[in-house]
Amino acid sequence: MANELSETQKSQIGKQNKKGQTYTDPNHLFFKAPRTAAFYTGSEVIKEAIRRASVDVMVAYPITPQSEAAALIGELYAEGYVADYMRGESEFAVMGQCAGAAFGGARVFTTTAGPGTMRAMENFPMWVGSRLPIQMIVTCRGINSPLSIQPDTLEMYFLLGTGMLMWHAETAQDFFDWMLMGYIVSEQPDVHLPLALCCDGFFVTHTKDTVMLTPPEMCLPPYDPYRSPVVCMDMESPPVRMMRDPFIMKSNYISYMTHASWQEETRAACERSRKHTIPLIGGLIETENVDAEILIVASGTAVSQGREAIRLLEDEGIRVGLVKVKSLRPFPFEELREATKNAKHIFVPEFNVIGWLATELKAALPDNHRIIAGPHVAGGMTMPAEVIVRKNSDLSGVFGYYAAGVS
Amino acid sequence: MPPEYRDLVEQSTYGHEDRGWKDIGNSKELIEAHSLCAGCPESMAFRYILASLPNPEDTVMVGSTGCTSLVFPMVAVHNIHSLFGNQNAVASGLKRALTVRFPDRIKDVVVLAGDGATVDIGLDMTLQAWFRQEKFTTICFDNELYANTGGQESGLMRKGFVAKMAPTGKKFDKVRLPEIARESGCCYVVNLTVSKPSLVEKVIKNAVLLAREVGPTYIQLYTPCILEIGKNSMEGLQEMRDSEKPGERFNYKEYITDEAKQYLADLDAKKKSAVIPAAQLTE
Ligand SMILES: Cc1ncc(C[n+]2csc(CCOP(=O)(O)OP(=O)(O)O)c2C)c(N)n1
Ligand code: SF4
Ligand SMILES: [Mg+2]
């Protein structure tokens, strides 16, 4: 069954927390509760989602462009919506503190960006192997030298192999909904994995948008740590010795097999998340006019720019379809194959220099000569719709010229 | 249930208020076999510490990579190994989560890690947890080198010692972590060896009880790596005794704040008043 609650969680539904919010059935909260429009920055939207998320512990550390959101959660803590909140001493430590809190059975939230993500990297495969359903917002920014704080999604490339669930939000509305839904998916016993919920820094965090919010007096049911597939470290269950002999140093088959099968299992858990995710976020991808011969496949704000380019191309009489990739892990193989089966040209605009989404698509789709990686912008450059139009026109042979500075 | 588990239920000392090292030999220990080198003093240290924890039924331990991490899988209190050097960060998050989840109960958190983990790779997290006054105990198994990776130089190694990665001898002094701990906000700091189980018991009990209420505590234990310093299995104890003589590196050293002293004195007084004098019993 998708998105089940435990009996303990069900028994909380309808009860109030100490702020007077009512623990609400997630499906009711997401799909039936009345919504009101608010005009907020992405950072404020993160705060509003956490207000409704029954988070136990948040660990914060300043780095642009997530500092504002992280500080706003501090205000929520001061108001009593988050049970504990602290500033760590570095992102490596922050992710360790998050791990400790999650090992101890707390619902945990953190945010990071760019160099912070890279500094913390050692933690992410550890979170996965330890089955810690921590939610981490990644507000992507440059990781190159010279120092840059500008939007750039290169850091997501490094997260792809960690084993975490990974979603890429396009808008503040995605963010609001997916943060709340993310906890429900992450905490399912057959998933129980961390979620990296990524967005393009500044474009989403620092711009204002109209967002439809659920009522502030409703919140998610609390986390139930006893649904974890591994033991919660609170000495509330018998401390059976985990193993007779630690596997780490052993050079024998059973040791290799243990490590291999656990890696397989965590990857399988990621795949199993589909059945929970699809009904909540409405599929791992979203499509428009995929019967067209030309498609734009993108994630994050590159989708918005793609939409705009499609409108401009329409004016030229060129029909182009759109695929928005919402989940990168699990990767929507089948969905993408189906959505691109009619396409002759597949353009993949990205906010990073290497084009990791195009690489992923080339490995996933048949006839991958159809995939045209780009345009790529990086280091904070914006991606005007015209740039996508040019790339598109150029390679599809309609008309062509080359835009300097854009490859 | 396997006999080993039944023994834990029926013959271990969870919940015994006066548990201590003397239970070793006539109760089920919280540590089973271990895979340390034969005669490694770390194994004695583990046994004494696990026998001395005041509240093992509600204690969670946090370890780090190193020789100690080979022992933890066989320890019968919940314990976390995650990465090398992050133990005090993990313990900070853990203690906070347990405090949020069990506001009316005592849940002790005890870190136990090697000197490389505590002083080198994890130093910032060790110190920052103390600065923040996180309420848990940090125990360092100081064997003065990186044992698990084959005997490389560590910050707690003696100056001049020739080791891997210190081919002409270590160039700087043994880091004075006990003093640093005192200055960083620990209310109770002890530097000792594990040659005397009764002393280890007293120190560990104090450290855990103080960390509950007063503030962070730090215990540095000499657990010589007999393998890397070229000693035989039988020679660990003598090595510790030699190093605790006056003027030596592990001569017993204790720092305690006035507040911590007062807290222990109050605890003591409470305990004494709770015991009915023998004279009254006979009447
Ligand atoms: C990030 C990282 N760097 C290096 C290592 C390799 N490593 C594993 S154990 C260890 C040494 C442990 O030394 P110490 O903390 O003193 O413990 P001991 O083995 O001496 O008890 C090292 C360097 C690692 N596991 N992770
Ligand atoms: S290598 Fe050294 S510290 Fe590790 S178990 Fe052997 S003697 Fe003990
Ligand atoms: Mg060592």
Side-chain angles (χ1 to χ4, degrees):
Chain A
M1 280 289 285
N3 298 312
E4 282 284 282
L5 297 181
S6 69
E7 291 309 314
T8 315
Q9 288 176 309
K10 282 182 200 156
S11 74
Q12 294 294 313
I13 303 291
K15 293 192 179 147
Q16 293 199 340
N17 66 13
K18 65 174 197 275
K19 292 302 290 180
Q21 293 175 300
T22 305
Y23 294 121
T24 306
D25 179 78
N27 278 311
H28 181 85
L29 182 67
F30 302 150
F31 302 116
K32 299 202 182 100
R35 298 233 180 183
T36 38
F39 191 55
Y40 276 149
T41 64
S43 304
E44 289 164 335
V45 169
I46 293 173
K47 176 185 181 184
E48 288 312 311
I50 292 303
R51 187 195 297 281
R52 295 155 174 83
S54 306
V55 164
D56 297 306
V57 176
M58 189 216 173
V59 191
Y61 194 78
I63 185 168
T64 308
Q66 58 83 59
S67 305
E68 189 190 355
L72 288 172
I73 314 299
E75 293 178 10
L76 283 181
Y77 161 69
E79 292 169 36
Y81 286 96
V82 174
D84 202 351
Y85 175 91
M86 67 180 282
R87 174 197 55 81
E89 57 269 43
S90 75
E91 289 83 356
F92 177 78
V94 164
M95 303 312 163
Q97 283 139 3
C98 287
F103 273 117
R107 181 176 284 159
V108 181
F109 181 69
T110 191
T111 54
T112 192
T117 309
M118 303 306 282
R119 173 76 54 112
M121 195 57 74
E122 188 186 357
N123 287 274
F124 305 137
M126 178 273 282
W127 285 2
V128 169
S130 307
R131 305 300 285 269
L132 305 175
I134 297 161
Q135 186 170 127
M136 173 175 75
I137 297 287
V138 185
T139 64
C140 298
R141 69 171 255 193
I143 55 173
N144 57 286
S145 199
L147 180 64
S148 158
I149 60 166
Q150 303 302 337
D152 189 312
T153 60
L154 187 51
E155 69 197 85
M156 288 177 67
Y157 171 73
F158 296 91
L159 289 170
L160 286 168
T162 58
M164 296 173 80
L165 304 177
M166 238 179 119
W167 300 350
H168 198 177
E170 177 193 354
T171 61
Q173 185 71 56
D174 284 351
F175 238 133
F176 179 78
D177 294 335
W178 297 1
M179 283 174 68
L180 295 169
M181 292 168 175
Y183 275 120
I184 298 301
V185 173
S186 266
E187 293 169 4
Q188 293 301 315
D190 60 347
V191 179
H192 228 268
L193 288 175
L195 167 64
L197 180 40
C198 307
C199 77
D200 306 347
F202 291 105
F203 297 144
V204 179
T205 51
H206 285 60
T207 55
K208 280 199 166 187
D209 201 353
T210 303
V211 183
M212 301 302 289
L213 302 180
T214 58
E217 61 276 6
M218 292 184 185
C219 63
L220 288 182
Y223 173 51
D224 176 0
Y226 303 122
R227 302 172 84 198
S228 169
V230 295
V231 178
C232 176
M233 292 291 158
D234 59 5
M235 276 305 272
E236 292 298 301
S237 61
V240 180
R241 294 183 171 103
M242 286 183 282
M243 39 183 146
R244 276 283 174 167
D245 223 2
F247 292 123
I248 170 180
M249 296 302 186
K250 302 290 169 191
S251 301
N252 59 26
Y253 180 75
I254 189 75
S255 158
Y256 306 150
M257 191 57 201
T258 307
H259 288 293
S261 58
W262 191 242
Q263 289 198 43
E264 295 277 351
E265 158 53 19
T266 57
R267 261 66 188 174
C270 178
E271 293 302 314
R272 292 194 296 261
S273 71
R274 287 166 188 274
K275 66 174 177 291
H276 307 295
T277 306
I278 290 167
L280 292 184
I281 71 169
L284 305 187
I285 66 170
E286 226 168 77
T287 61
E288 285 167 33
N289 301 326
V290 285
D291 56 327
E293 286 194 357
I294 304 173
L295 287 187
I296 290 174
V297 181
S299 65
T301 51
V303 178
S304 316
Q305 299 312 99
R307 244 189 274 279
E308 190 55 20
I310 288 171
R311 207 180 48 73
L312 295 177
L313 285 161
E314 230 162 55
D315 295 344
E316 309 279 341
I318 305 165
R319 191 158 175 274
V320 178
L322 180 72
V323 178
K324 166 174 170 173
V325 181
K326 299 194 272 191
S327 167
L328 294 155
R329 292 291 181 271
F331 192 72
F333 285 101
E334 289 308 321
E335 292 92 333
L336 284 166
R337 279 184 202 140
E338 177 61 26
T340 57
K341 66 173 190 256
N342 299 317
K344 294 213 165 65
H345 307 284
I346 301 167
F347 290 87
V348 191
E350 292 184 60
F351 281 93
N352 67 76
V353 77
I354 59 170
W356 48 257
L357 181 59
T359 307
E360 294 265 307
L361 290 166
K362 282 180 184 166
L365 299 182
D367 303 320
N368 67 9
H369 56 83
R370 298 178 297 160
I371 295 162
I372 299 131
H376 298 143
V377 297
M381 286 175 59
T382 55
M383 188 189 287
E386 290 78 5
V387 171
I388 305 178
V389 171
R390 265 178 233 152
K391 181 95 180 172
N392 204 304
S393 312
D394 185 21
L395 286 146
S396 58
V398 183
F399 51 85
Y401 54 94
Y402 184 76
V406 179
S407 66
Chain B
M1 280 290 168
E4 123 92 353
Y5 181 75
R6 283 205 305 272
D7 282 357
L8 266 182
V9 174
E10 288 158 15
Q11 292 187 48
S12 70
T13 52
Y14 300 114
H16 295 197
E17 253 178 44
D18 54 349
R19 62 191 306 277
W21 76 276
K22 286 189 174 137
D23 298 325
I24 294 175
N26 47 42
S27 71
K28 178 72 176 173
E29 288 183 65
L30 302 186
I31 173 171
E32 186 69 350
H34 63 78
S35 46
L36 300 166
C37 298
C40 174
E42 282 195 358
S43 64
M44 298 159 66
F46 258 106
R47 297 179 72 181
Y48 301 158
I49 290 168
L50 287 165
S52 310
L53 292 174
N55 190 32
E57 61 280 9
D58 277 304
T59 300
V60 183
M61 298 186 75
V62 180
S64 196
T65 319
C67 285
T68 52
S69 58
L70 304 185
V71 179
F72 270 116
M74 287 156 288
V75 167
V77 300
H78 281 171
N79 58 83
I80 298 172
H81 174 270
S82 56
L83 295 173
F84 182 41
N86 66 347
Q87 58 283 345
N88 280 35
V90 171
S92 299
L94 174 69
K95 180 69 189 185
R96 284 160 182 266
L98 296 177
T99 307
V100 167
R101 291 189 54 226
F102 304 96
D104 307 320
R105 287 174 54 192
I106 291 162
K107 292 277 180 186
D108 292 324
V109 170
V110 176
V111 166
L112 196 167
D115 51 310
T118 308
V119 178
D120 293 335
I121 195 167
L123 182 65
D124 62 341
M125 285 161 283
T126 305
L127 298 187
Q128 297 269 2
W130 295 342
F131 299 159
R132 286 193 306 264
Q133 294 287 296
E134 303 278 357
K135 290 212 172 105
F136 59 82
T137 300
T138 304
I139 302 172
C140 174
F141 275 15
D142 180 9
N143 54 14
E144 307 194 298
L145 46 75
Y146 289 82
N148 197 232
T149 38
Q152 295 84 3
E153 178 191 289
S154 99
L156 286 190
M157 181 175 275
R158 278 168 284 170
K159 185 174 179 177
F161 196 87
V162 177
K164 287 168 195 148
M165 301 190 186
T168 57
K170 186 177 178 238
K171 299 283 187 250
F172 61 99
D173 284 328
K174 183 176 175 74
V175 173
R176 298 175 63 192
L177 197 61
E179 286 74 17
I180 296 172
R182 179 190 59 192
E183 296 305 315
S184 304
C186 288
C187 68
Y188 180 66
V189 178
V190 185
N191 180 54
L192 76 169
T193 79
V194 293
S195 69
K196 299 185 189 78
S198 52
L199 190 58
V200 175
E201 176 183 323
K202 189 183 112 226
V203 166
I204 294 296
K205 280 187 173 160
N206 285 348
V208 175
L209 295 173
L210 285 167
R212 249 181 223 171
E213 297 293 337
V214 183
T217 53
Y218 175 60
I219 308 304
Q220 186 166 317
L221 293 167
Y222 185 40
T223 54
C225 173
I226 49 175
L227 183 78
E228 292 296 340
I229 61 173
K231 301 267 173 188
N232 290 320
S233 297
M234 301 302 290
E235 293 171 339
L237 187 58
Q238 195 53 50
E239 168 64 23
M240 291 190 283
R241 284 182 178 151
D242 291 345
S243 71
E244 67 198 15
K245 290 182 180 142
E248 289 294 331
R249 310 185 302 296
F250 290 95
N251 189 10
Y252 184 88
K253 184 164 65 182
E254 175 182 300
Y255 304 118
I256 181 163
T257 62
D258 289 343
E259 189 192 359
K261 231 185 255 168
Q262 189 57 47
Y263 181 78
L264 289 179
D266 290 350
L267 269 188
D268 233 26
K270 240 188 248 165
K271 216 175 177 181
K272 277 187 192 132
S273 67
V275 178
I276 305 162
Q280 281 179 12
L281 280 175
T282 51
E283 275 172 26

